[in-house]
Amino acid sequence: MGKKRQRTKYVSKGERKPIDPRWRKEYRREYNGSTAQMQNKLEAWLMGKKVMLTIENPNKNETNKRFIRVNANDVWKRRSA
């Protein structure tokens, strides 16, 4: 039998997740609703990207939809020059 070659690089088999799901969930809870998230959304909107915001539903008769997603262009209106 011949000698086995040395591998030049290692490729993961993808059997395990890189981070525990409970920690990922905790990080997401900290980020959602934070000032960092709103700052990132504002910067993306200023670059002209499509940004969605979650706001309270102005229609109080729709009790099953307490919050709704709206386009940031409807909330943050740009001034025309």
Side-chain angles (χ1 to χ4, degrees):
M1 279 183 58
K3 190 174 180 182
K4 290 190 177 182
R5 287 180 82 178
Q6 291 282 328
R7 306 281 194 276
T8 58
K9 62 182 181 178
Y10 175 77
V11 178
S12 171
K13 297 175 189 155
E15 295 174 346
R16 290 168 206 83
K17 296 187 178 181
I19 186 169
D20 195 338
R22 69 178 172 207
W23 292 114
R24 191 177 310 126
K25 192 174 184 180
E26 181 66 29
Y27 297 146
R28 188 172 53 246
R29 280 188 184 144
E30 287 177 9
Y31 179 73
N32 286 342
S34 67
T35 56
Q37 181 188 30
M38 287 306 290
Q39 187 174 8
N40 290 339
K41 285 186 177 191
L42 181 61
E43 288 175 8
W45 181 73
L46 289 173
M47 286 192 283
K49 296 188 177 187
K50 181 181 176 183
V51 177
M52 300 297 284
L53 300 174
T54 302
I55 61 169
E56 264 193 66
N57 194 347
N59 186 356
K60 298 300 177 189
N61 294 331
E62 294 179 350
T63 56
N64 61 334
K65 298 175 190 165
R66 192 164 166 210
F67 295 95
I68 57 172
R69 289 181 72 224
V70 295
N71 195 326
N73 290 331
D74 299 336
V75 180
W76 300 329
K77 299 186 189 308
R78 289 187 189 258
R79 280 194 242 161
S80 57

